[in-house]
Amino acid sequence: MTWVKKKRKKVLNLLLKALVWLPLFPLIFVFPQKLSSMELYFEKKFELNVLFRMVHNQEKVKLNVENREDQNDETRELKMVWPEESQEEAQPEIIFRPKFKNIKEEIGVYVFLGWLWLIIAVLLYVLNQQIKEADRRRHLGL
Amino acid sequence: MKEILKKPEENSGRWWEERLGWRAIMKFLREKKVPQTEHTPWLYTGSLILLFLIIQVITGIVLALYYKPTIAEAYASVRRIMSEVPFGWIIRSLHFWSATGMIATVFVHMISIWLLKSYRSPRELTWMTGVFLLVITLGFGFTGYLLPWDSLSLAATKVGTDIPRVIPLIGQWISQFLRGGEDVGADTLTRFYLFHICVLPLFIFLFIAVHLFLIQKHGISFPLKYEIKGIKVNVIPFWPDFVLRECRIWLIALGGVITLAIFWPRSLGQPAEILAPTPPGIKPEWYFLFLFQTLKIFPAQILFLKGESVAISLILLVLGLFFFLPFIDNKPAGKKGKVISIISLILIIYALAMTFWSLAE
């Protein structure tokens, strides 16, 4: 019986130690390492995107061939340059932001909002009174 | 003769009483007791979820009147709702903010039940139906996100429906079932719309009915420490004392959601193109960020296994343990219960840390 208790205590101690160290576990991921699975996923997607753009010719991909005097045809450096506008497009931008149709609608909505909060304030006051009354009746045992 | 001479409202009350038996219901509600302790505010979260759900249903019906679930018309119909339908943008924003509020409240509700150990016997089934409701609510968020058919929603759905592929044996099938094919397209939109307005509501109302029935059957649990120490808990009747207190929270939440919808309306991105490139740096909605960040920090390869597979398996394992928690934590007052409390706290801190980390990136 004592042996079982000791064993249990040991297991519990081990668990508690593990709990102390567990929060530090994510730190191992902070240190530089190989690309994570999600990063690889996005990298793969990016490669596919480049292929897509080239095949469909949606973007004009400029292949800048740098003709340098010290390079012959074989060692010529190939550089792929995206047009400036396509780099801007890379960030998803919000193109449709809702707005009031006219000043009349705007004023109407703000008036409604003011009225709504006024009603809420009045109702909260009424509810507080009702709660006080309910509490009083409960204390009196009615 | 006496019956006829009675006041009309008395006759009408009797008419309803004979058909519905509402006096018995009111008697039950008056006799139902709710504990009044320092943990009582957590109890309001349950009914707050219902308020958000009611707003979701009403605004959802209005949006469904104008929305067209085809890839050719989905984006245009949402744009029409926002620009042509009178106050359509407020309705859409209300739908978005109440969804956000509902998911946030579901999380708070679950965490409060989790930490207060209200799942203990005999409320195991109440907890399990609650976990189902959490999954269904997240399902609502996931399916609803694609419906505007803008570039961000398409990209997020592509990533989201690609993740189950790593699950052994059934992963490929789940992904294909969700997408309605190999890739996200017209069938995916139709399926997500069907799930969003038909399948998930059916399940959510079914589970809510069971959940509420179980709450009525077992009553609201008393805090564990009061039970252990044998301290007498002050109780109040559910009707009208507790309901009146709940109404205050409902009013403030309703006003808050409408204000948010007007001052911070939901906008619309660029129209989605199936063959277009995925925008860089896409992130899911805030409630999936902790899962997203967990997947992101996992190395590509762990020993001979794929990092993604290990991460998904771990997440599924934790979800399974979470579902069966009342049976695992069968002695909440003992040492085992204390260890589980500490693990629960660590998991909650971990999820919060991952969410903030992902937001900061």
Side-chain angles (χ1 to χ4, degrees), chain B residues 122-156:
Chain B
R123 296 180 181 82
E124 295 94 338
L125 285 176
T126 320
W127 167 265
M128 287 161 114
T129 49
V131 176
F132 270 120
L133 286 168
L134 170 75
V135 174
I136 293 169
T137 312
L138 292 176
F140 267 114
F142 185 59
T143 52
Y145 196 63
L146 178 71
L147 301 186
W149 200 249
D150 59 7
S151 54
L152 263 182
S153 67
L154 176 70

Side-chain angles (χ1 to χ4, degrees), chain B residues 85-102:
Chain B
V85 176
F87 305 108
W89 62 274
I90 297 181
I91 301 289
R92 185 175 173 243
S93 301
L94 255 177
H95 196 72
F96 166 76
W97 281 111
S98 63
T100 308
M102 185 173 159

Side-chain angles (χ1 to χ4, degrees), chain A:
Chain A
M1 202 61 192
T2 345
W3 180 82
V4 175
K5 272 187 182 172
K6 271 184 186 173
K7 199 83 179 164
R8 266 189 196 169
K9 212 175 173 184
K10 233 179 180 181
V11 172
L12 267 169
N13 276 335
L14 208 72
L15 264 171
L16 282 169
K17 273 180 193 168
L19 283 173
V20 173
W21 287 103
L22 249 170
L24 301 173
F25 176 68
L27 283 177
I28 62 162
F29 297 113
V30 178
F31 297 111
Q33 54 175 334
K34 277 201 304 184
L35 284 173
S36 76
S37 50
M38 286 303 273
E39 281 165 337
L40 278 175
Y41 175 83
F42 285 118
E43 201 162 77
K44 200 175 90 189
K45 282 266 170 196
F46 183 73
E47 281 166 17
L48 285 170
N49 293 341
V50 172
L51 270 172
F52 165 79
R53 284 183 186 202
M54 288 173 81
V55 171
H56 289 266
N57 202 21
Q58 278 201 343
E59 309 281 350
K60 284 180 184 171
V61 179
K62 291 178 193 168
L63 288 171
N64 280 0
V65 183
E66 285 185 6
N67 284 314
R68 281 157 60 179
E69 281 173 10
D70 57 326
Q71 285 180 332
N72 55 27
D73 284 354
E74 286 170 7
T75 56
R76 200 183 273 164
E77 197 182 339
L78 283 171
K79 262 189 182 176
M80 201 188 289
V81 179
W82 295 102
E84 277 180 17
E85 61 268 29
S86 76
Q87 283 176 357
E88 279 170 16
E89 275 175 17
Q91 285 297 323
E93 57 184 64
I94 292 152
I95 61 154
F96 192 73
R97 209 175 270 280
K99 55 182 181 220
F100 296 105
K101 276 179 204 156
N102 48 47
I103 191 80
K104 200 179 158 190
E105 192 185 275
E106 193 173 353
I107 292 169
V109 168
Y110 289 140
V111 168
F112 164 76
L113 202 61
W115 171 83
L116 179 82
W117 278 107
L118 188 73
I119 291 288
I120 288 172
V122 172
L123 283 174
L124 282 176
Y125 174 76
V126 173
L127 278 171
N128 277 338
Q129 296 301 314
Q130 294 264 352
I131 290 165
K132 274 181 194 166
E133 177 61 16
D135 286 346
R136 191 183 68 82
R137 286 170 72 89
R138 196 176 69 248
H139 289 308
L140 290 171
L142 292 170

